[in-house]
Amino acid sequence: MKLHEMWQGYPQVADELAQTLRLMEKSIQLKNKQVEQAIMEMIHSGGKLLRPAYQLLFAQFGPDRDSQKAVSMAASIEMLHTATLIHDDIVDDADLRRGLPTIRSSFGNDAAVYAGDYLFVCCFKLLADYASSMRSLQLNSRSMEKILGGELGQMDNRYKINGTIDDYLDNISGKTAELFSMSCSIGAYESGCSELFSNNAGKIGRKIGLAFQIIDDILDYTQPADMIGKPVLEDVRQGVYSLPLLYALKTNRAAFIPYLEKRENMTDADTQKVYELVHQYDGVTQAQALAAKYTNEAIRAIQKLPQNEADTRGQLERLTRTILDRQN
C-alpha cells in the first residue's frame, strides 16, 4: 500500500494513514464489483490524504487518544471527501481525476451517484460506531451542509464576470475549508481535548483549507495538465472563475470579456489568452500573496499550541508550510 512520498518524514502519521486506507477497503463492499473496484482505485490514486492526516495529528493533543478510534475517524473523513469528489466530477462532467478516468466517465452518472452516496453511508457508519458523543455527528452533518452551500454558491456564480473575491472566499470556505476545519476539530475533540481547544483547532483547519484551495486554483495557471491530473483551465470553460482570474478581472475586466463571453464555446486559443492575461495583470501573484497570508496565520496559531512528546506542533507546522510549496 503506497502512500504519497510526503509522508516519509512523518512515521506515525504514515503508519496510521496506511491503517486508514485498509479500514476504508474493508468498509467498502458492493455487489457491483466493477464500481467497487473503481472506488478502490480512486482511494489509491495518489491523493495526499491531508484531511485525515490533520485529524490524526490533532488527535495527538488529547489525553484520551485511542489509535483505533483516531484511524476510524480518519477513514470516515476521507470517505466523506472522496464522496464529494465523485459527485463533483458528475456536476463538472469531468473525465479525469488525478490523471485517471473518473467513475462517471467509466460507468456513467447513475453509477457515480450511487458510489458517492454509498461512501456517505460508510462515513456515517464509522462515525456512529466510534464517535464518543453526538457532537461529532452533529459537526459532521453541519459540515456537509456547509460543503453543499459552498458548492451551490459556486454553481450560482458560474459565468459571473462581475463575481467578487468575497463570493469566492465564501464558496471555498464551504466546499474546501470546512472539511479541513472539521478534521482538525474532530481529531482534537474525540481524543479528549476541551471544546475550546477543539474549536481553536477548527479555526486553524479553516485557514489551512483556504490556503490549500487557493494554491490548488493557482496551479491551473502555473502547472501543465499532466502535473495537476486534469485539463488546464477546464474550470474557466465551465464558468468557474477562481482567485487568480478574479484578481485579474478586477484590474482589467474589459480585456477578458471577448474570451469569457464565449462561455463553454471557448477554444484552446481563447483559454491560452486568458492564461496570458491572468499573468499579465498579476492575478497569480496576488492570489499567492493571499494564500501566504492564510498559511502564515495558520502557522502562527499552530506555534501557540502546547508542546508534547510527539512534537505534534512541529509536525503540524512542517506539514502546513508544504501547502505553499507544492507543485501538484
Side-chain angles (χ1 to χ4, degrees):
M1 188 172 299
K2 188 176 180 181
L3 296 174
H4 193 280
E5 61 184 14
M6 69 183 294
W7 300 116
Q8 291 176 3
Y10 305 83
Q12 181 178 345
V13 175
D15 179 63
E16 290 184 333
L17 285 176
Q19 293 179 50
T20 297
L21 290 175
R22 284 194 290 271
L23 180 56
M24 291 171 69
E25 287 180 340
K26 184 179 176 182
S27 301
I28 297 167
Q29 297 182 3
L30 286 169
K31 289 183 178 179
N32 187 321
K33 294 304 175 184
Q34 278 190 311
V35 175
E36 179 183 286
Q37 183 60 32
I39 295 174
M40 294 293 189
E41 288 175 2
M42 186 170 181
I43 288 169
H44 293 290
S45 64
K48 296 180 180 67
L49 304 176
L50 282 169
R51 296 152 190 82
Y54 274 106
Q55 187 272 337
L56 292 166
L57 281 166
F58 270 98
Q60 292 181 6
F61 287 109
D64 305 327
R65 188 183 199 275
D66 176 85
S67 181
Q68 182 180 1
K69 180 179 179 181
V71 165
S72 300
M73 294 291 103
S76 73
I77 285 166
E78 186 60 16
M79 284 194 283
L80 171 57
H81 177 227
T82 305
T84 64
L85 295 182
I86 292 171
H87 285 174
D88 279 353
D89 290 338
I90 298 167
V91 173
D92 297 339
D93 286 327
D95 292 328
L96 291 176
R97 166 76 64 178
R98 297 169 186 160
L100 297 174
T102 59
I103 292 177
R104 66 150 296 277
S105 68
S106 297
F107 300 99
N109 286 342
D110 289 352
V113 168
Y114 292 135
D117 289 350
Y118 178 73
L119 286 176
F120 283 129
V121 172
C122 291
C123 163
F124 278 103
K125 281 172 64 178
L126 282 174
L127 278 173
D129 287 343
Y130 289 95
S132 59
S133 70
M134 284 298 293
R135 184 182 183 277
S136 292
L137 285 167
Q138 290 168 344
L139 182 61
N140 191 292
S141 60
R142 288 171 186 162
S143 291
M144 286 183 65
E145 182 179 13
K146 290 178 182 177
I147 291 166
L148 178 59
E151 294 286 2
L152 288 172
Q154 179 175 285
M155 185 177 72
D156 289 342
N157 284 332
R158 284 195 168 182
Y159 299 110
K160 195 173 179 182
I161 295 177
N162 62 345
T164 68
I165 290 166
D166 284 344
D167 288 339
Y168 166 84
L169 293 174
D170 282 345
N171 293 338
I172 69 167
S173 183
K175 82 183 193 78
T176 302
E178 180 60 33
L179 195 47
F180 276 92
S181 176
M182 185 190 77
S183 300
C184 298
S185 181
I186 283 182
Y189 187 79
E190 286 293 336
S191 65
C193 292
S194 69
E195 190 156 340
L196 178 63
F197 184 94
S198 302
N199 289 339
N200 185 43
K203 291 176 183 176
I204 292 171
R206 185 169 303 283
K207 299 287 188 184
I208 292 167
L210 288 167
F212 182 86
Q213 183 60 57
I214 292 169
I215 291 296
D216 207 49
D217 291 336
I218 289 169
L219 293 177
D220 256 356
Y221 293 91
T222 58
Q223 297 296 328
D226 60 344
M227 285 290 288
I228 59 176
K230 60 180 181 178
V232 172
L233 296 194
E234 186 63 25
D235 284 351
V236 175
R237 280 194 174 98
Q238 295 176 352
V240 178
Y241 302 155
S242 62
L243 192 60
L245 176 54
L246 290 172
Y247 271 128
L249 279 166
K250 194 175 175 183
T251 303
N252 188 348
R253 197 177 311 278
F256 290 88
I257 289 176
Y259 309 102
L260 297 182
E261 68 183 0
K262 295 181 182 181
R263 298 193 169 204
E264 65 272 12
N265 294 320
M266 289 177 70
T267 64
D268 290 344
D270 293 330
T271 57
Q272 178 61 31
K273 188 60 181 178
V274 168
Y275 177 96
E276 292 168 1
L277 288 169
V278 165
H279 283 274
Q280 180 180 337
Y281 293 110
D282 294 325
V284 169
T285 303
Q286 293 181 75
Q288 287 170 333
L290 187 57
K293 173 182 176 289
Y294 285 127
T295 300
N296 291 332
E297 287 176 357
I299 288 170
R300 284 196 294 272
I302 288 168
Q303 290 171 340
K304 295 177 182 177
L305 294 172
Q307 188 58 280
N308 60 14
E309 199 172 311
D311 188 30
T312 305
R313 188 175 70 188
Q315 291 184 72
L316 282 168
E317 183 174 346
R318 273 196 295 136
L319 179 58
T320 302
R321 287 188 186 279
T322 65
I323 289 175
L324 272 182
D325 297 330
R326 66 194 177 96
Q327 300 299 312
N328 57 45

